[in-house]
Amino acid sequence: MRGLIFLLLLPTFAWAETLVIQSTPTEVEIQQRGALVTREVTFDMPAGQHSIVLPDLPVQAEQYGMRAQLTGAVLQSLTVRDSLAPLPPELDRPEIAVAETAVEAAQDALAVVQDQMAALQRTIAAAAAQTAFLADLARSESLPQDAATLAEIAQMIGTQTEAAAASAAEARVAMRPLARTEAARRDALKRAEAALDALLTAAEARNRVTLVATTPEAGPVTLRLTYLVRGAGWEPTYGLRLTTGDAPSFAVDRAAWITQVTGEDWVNVVLTVSTADTSGQSAPARLFPRRLQMFEPVPTPTLRSSDALVAGAPADPVIEAPVIVEEKAALLDGATARYVFPERVTVANGADQVRLALDTLTLSPEVFARAVPDRDDVAYRMARVTNTAPEIILPGEAELFVDGQLIGFGEMPLLAPGAEAELGMGPLETLRLTRILRQGTGDTGIITRANERVEQTLLRVENTGAETWPVEIIGRVPFSEQEDLAIDWSATPPPTATDLRDAQGILGWRIELPPNSTRDISVRTRITWPSGMELR
């Protein structure tokens, strides 16, 4: 009796059912290596405890980090099961049937025009055969000899030949638009087949997720399932737009190239690109104790004489000191940046490479010309900019524009917030560069004695344009780290910077170069070294 009372007091649940739910990706956060995919679907759930089956997750979906949220029901468990068997017919994706119908329609349309072209080809072939027969008939020796009969036969041959030629001409004229139509329908068939292939590649093998959940009352339930896939990634790409003039500006158009081979299509999803890397290091490295040991010194080994070696006597072993290599990990320090694309996006599995525009940063550039006469014939336009954005600008390929014109391609460097970069923005053909070697007599060359060498170098920048340019001229003089190798140099005018950017021997000058003017820089270098030594 007590057991009966206990059962009566338990809550009443309906018999458990298995609910098979169709779902597709609705949100994707694509990271540097991998993507977080979210499926959200609302369905009606009876009261009680039930199994909710999602039969069509890709096999790349990782169980680690997979999480489910239910609104309107209580989640009890989540199970992931590999499923290599094909889905039941009732679970086939309807878009595949639509794509198959489109392929069949494209095939039928192509067959119609090909049949029409074949009929015209038969007309042309028949006309050619008729013309050949009439030509053979006209040459025949068995024709009647009376004039009246020959005239009638000649008239018939001419009439029939003309009719055959006209029929062939009409067929050729009719073939021209059909040929264009056939080419267009072949392209349409290729597109339909590609669309079907993209769907089929996303439906080869699937995983099944089973959720066990309860609800006291029947009603709508919303499921959000999030999982990680590794077969996706994005790369930043940029359009760098310099506008010159009295108030120059610099715009950085940021975009992303998206690719994915995750085993499923992303159709009309809310897409977010993130600089996060969930596969990277998430905790600081462990530092192990460093132990030192002391030993009695080992005598320095010596090699035996060459005679002993030739005689076959073994040499004393040479003991080398151990080399200790300190491992370092390169880490990208900074806050994670996320960009939510305002429109829904479609990226087909293994087929699409999608370029998404993200945003535009506007920076204040310092525009100048950089001249390297030792290497270049012309100077190059430069833009010095500072990252005023609160997040890191990642490195990537860039298209370069000056005053709206594409002038080339380059690289955007990694820029932390507040960091500065100098970006090359194409050649300036009006700033011509020359490097000349001179001796004291004015002849070109270098003075070299037994242990002395004198170089006289002239760096010339010529402005043939109509615009004044601030020019940074870069030159160099040799340097030495040997005390007996003496290097003395002088420059006219003196450089404004030495050891430019911490590079020994690199010199820099900043000048203003007016239109139709030339500036020369003379550098004299004297190198001496001890007798008996060679200079390299």
Side-chain angles (χ1 to χ4, degrees):
M1 184 67 179
R2 288 182 179 178
L4 178 60
I5 295 174
F6 175 74
L7 289 174
L8 292 174
L9 292 176
L10 284 176
T12 351
F13 289 109
W15 291 103
E17 297 181 14
T18 297
L19 307 177
V20 178
I21 304 301
Q22 290 289 338
S23 64
T24 57
T26 54
E27 302 172 22
V28 175
E29 179 180 307
I30 185 166
Q31 302 176 348
Q32 290 182 295
R33 288 178 290 183
L36 286 173
V37 180
T38 298
R39 297 183 176 205
E40 182 173 313
V41 60
T42 299
F43 57 93
D44 290 328
M45 180 173 171
Q49 183 186 77
H50 304 286
S51 294
I52 305 168
V53 178
L54 281 73
D56 57 349
L57 265 70
V59 294
Q60 291 92 329
E62 298 187 5
Q63 67 183 72
Y64 301 104
M66 184 178 292
R67 58 188 185 274
Q69 296 177 336
L70 289 175
T71 302
V74 178
L75 178 65
Q76 294 182 327
S77 67
L78 183 151
T79 304
V80 181
R81 175 175 295 180
D82 294 337
S83 175
L84 299 179
L87 297 176
E90 63 271 14
L91 299 182
D92 283 345
R93 297 166 61 188
E95 57 266 31
I96 293 180
V98 172
E100 289 174 342
T101 302
V103 171
E104 293 173 357
Q107 290 172 339
D108 292 342
L110 179 60
V112 169
V113 72
Q114 287 176 337
D115 290 343
Q116 294 172 347
M117 294 177 68
L120 293 174
Q121 290 283 10
R122 290 193 296 271
T123 300
I124 295 172
Q130 185 179 5
T131 301
F133 172 77
L134 293 172
D136 291 341
L137 180 61
R139 291 190 296 268
S140 174
E141 296 179 355
S142 61
L143 291 174
Q145 298 301 314
D146 61 285
T149 304
L150 284 175
E152 291 178 1
I153 293 174
Q155 179 68 29
M156 181 272 296
I157 291 175
T159 302
Q160 294 297 323
T161 301
E162 183 179 357
S167 177
E170 290 177 1
R172 291 190 187 94
V173 170
M175 283 280 289
R176 293 169 189 163
L178 289 179
R180 292 191 292 269
T181 302
E182 183 200 27
R185 292 186 180 180
R186 284 185 183 276
D187 291 340
L189 177 58
K190 289 180 181 179
R191 290 193 297 269
E193 289 174 339
L196 177 59
D197 289 342
L199 291 173
L200 293 178
T201 56
E204 293 172 352
R206 318 306 292 163
N207 279 351
R208 292 178 185 166
V209 172
T210 301
L211 310 174
V212 176
T214 60
T215 180
E217 298 179 358
V221 171
T222 299
L223 165 64
R224 281 181 62 88
L225 180 72
T226 301
Y227 50 90
L228 179 66
V229 288
R230 294 296 180 190
W234 72 282
E235 294 181 358
T237 184
Y238 300 91
L240 306 182
R241 300 180 181 274
L242 174 65
T243 301
T244 62
D246 295 336
S249 63
F250 194 86
V252 181
D253 295 336
R254 295 195 282 191
W257 278 110
I258 308 295
T259 56
Q260 64 103 346
V261 283
T262 62
E264 63 182 350
D265 293 331
W266 300 341
V267 180
N268 293 329
V269 299
V270 177
L271 186 68
T272 301
V273 294
S274 170
T275 59
D277 185 1
T278 54
S279 64
Q281 182 173 333
S282 58
R286 182 180 176 185
L287 191 63
F288 294 93
R290 180 187 178 193
R291 183 183 67 172
L292 296 180
Q293 292 179 295
M294 185 176 65
F295 300 92
E296 292 186 6
V298 178
T300 302
T302 57
L303 296 176
R304 296 184 183 274
S305 66
S306 59
D307 293 339
L309 290 174
V310 171
D316 291 334
V318 178
I319 302 175
E320 296 182 353
V323 177
I324 300 175
V325 179
E326 181 181 358
E327 295 184 357
K328 295 183 179 180
L331 300 179
L332 184 62
D333 187 17
T336 298
R338 299 173 75 250
Y339 307 93
V340 181
F341 196 66
E343 305 293 337
R344 292 184 177 269
V345 177
T346 295
V347 186
N349 170 60
D352 288 345
Q353 294 186 8
V354 180
R355 188 180 191 273
L356 300 179
L358 299 178
D359 59 8
T360 299
L361 301 178
T362 301
L363 309 177
S364 298
E366 177 190 351
V367 181
F368 62 97
R370 175 168 289 165
V372 186
D374 283 80
R375 294 295 182 90
D376 300 326
D377 296 327
V378 297
Y380 285 80
R381 182 189 292 106
M382 303 293 295
R384 182 180 289 114
V385 296
T386 300
N387 179 16
T388 55
E391 73 272 0
I392 289 175
I393 298 178
L394 296 174
E397 296 181 351
E399 299 171 335
L400 308 179
F401 297 85
V402 175
D403 294 329
Q405 298 295 319
L406 177 66
I407 56 95
F409 302 89
E411 295 286 334
M412 184 70 187
L414 174 69
L415 274 184
E420 184 181 88
E422 294 176 345
L423 305 173
M425 298 299 295
L428 291 168
E429 299 294 342
T430 58
L431 296 184
R432 311 301 299 181
L433 310 181
T434 308
R435 177 180 182 269
I436 303 172
L437 287 176
R438 292 190 182 280
Q439 291 186 3
T441 60
D443 297 330
T444 301
I446 301 173
I447 301 174
T448 304
R449 299 184 178 89
N451 61 340
E452 181 186 44
R453 178 173 178 170
V454 177
E455 297 178 1
Q456 191 79 23
T457 306
L458 183 70
L459 306 180
R460 173 170 294 168
V461 183
E462 181 183 5
N463 185 359
T464 62
E467 179 181 357
T468 297
W469 273 98
V471 183
E472 179 186 86
I473 304 172
I474 297 179
R476 66 178 177 180
V477 291
F479 72 94
S480 170
E481 294 179 345
Q482 296 174 301
E483 184 176 353
D484 293 336
L485 178 57
I487 300 176
D488 297 314
W489 62 269
S490 61
T492 306
T496 54
T498 58
D499 294 345
L500 194 64
R501 288 183 285 277
D502 297 326
Q504 295 187 65
I506 302 300
L507 312 177
W509 292 263
R510 292 299 297 261
I511 64 171
E512 291 286 329
L513 192 60
N516 300 313
S517 63
T518 301
R519 183 67 59 87
D520 289 345
I521 295 175
S522 178
V523 180
R524 184 180 187 277
T525 305
R526 180 174 179 268
I527 309 167
T528 58
W529 61 94
S531 300
M533 305 294 287
E534 292 183 357
L535 179 66
R536 295 182 182 177

